Every structure is written in C-alpha cells, then in structure tokens.
Amino acid sequence: MASAAFHDYIQSLEQVFDDVVATGSDDELFASGYLRGHFDLVVAQLELNDNASADAVLPEVHASVEQAKHELAPVDMAHIQAMLTRLEAVAAQVA
C-alpha cells in the first residue's frame, strides 16, 4: 500500500496538470493531456507493484515518454519536455 507521503507527492504533481487545464495554451493542454496519461499509468503500475516511491515516479514517466517518442512530432515533444520540466520543478519543491 502506498504511503500518505506518496499520495501527497502525487497530488502535488497532479496540481500541475490541473493548473494547465485552467490556464494553459492549446499546446500546453495537448502536452499536459498526453503526459497525464503516461503519469497516471506509471503511478498505477508503481502502486500495483508495491513500488510506490516518489523517487521512482519521474524517472518512470521519462522512460515511458521516451519509449513513445516516435509517435510525436518534434514540436510536440518539445512541449512535452517543457511540461516535464514543470513537473520536475514542483517535485523538487515537494521532496
């Protein structure tokens, strides 16, 4: 079972996605939606595998995006990288 600290960490990162929905440009909305899918999948897999560690989330999200990057145009990948940078900034503050 995931700890309360893990859930707090996840909620902090989810707020980044929620903020983009409220104020983001079309490109930011695309990147946020795309990345949110990877993020949610990674979090679910970590919880199912009893590996719910805050330290594992962003590296796993990066790996997931890297595996799928062939699906994206370079400009879309740039927007997704910018969103990852935003997530990393929040993660650094929360950790």
Side-chain angles (χ1 to χ4, degrees):
M1 174 178 267
S3 70
F6 179 77
H7 286 291
D8 290 345
Y9 176 80
I10 296 305
Q11 286 179 336
S12 295
L13 296 182
E14 287 174 337
Q15 188 62 50
V16 175
F17 297 114
D18 295 344
D19 291 347
V20 169
V21 170
T23 63
S25 68
D26 288 346
D27 290 332
E28 290 171 324
L29 286 170
F30 164 76
S32 175
Y34 182 86
L35 196 55
R36 181 71 182 253
H38 286 272
F39 178 85
D40 288 346
L41 183 61
V42 163
V43 170
Q45 289 173 335
L46 290 172
E47 289 178 324
L48 285 173
N49 294 327
D50 290 327
N51 188 23
S53 161
D55 292 338
V57 174
L58 289 180
E60 290 293 325
V61 170
H62 276 280
S64 180
V65 169
E66 183 67 25
Q67 289 175 351
K69 76 177 185 179
H70 67 278
E71 301 172 350
L72 300 165
V75 68
D76 292 335
M77 193 63 191
H79 294 300
I80 290 163
Q81 290 296 336
M83 183 62 59
L84 279 166
T85 299
R86 287 168 80 170
L87 288 173
E88 290 166 348
V90 169
Q93 292 174 350
V94 174

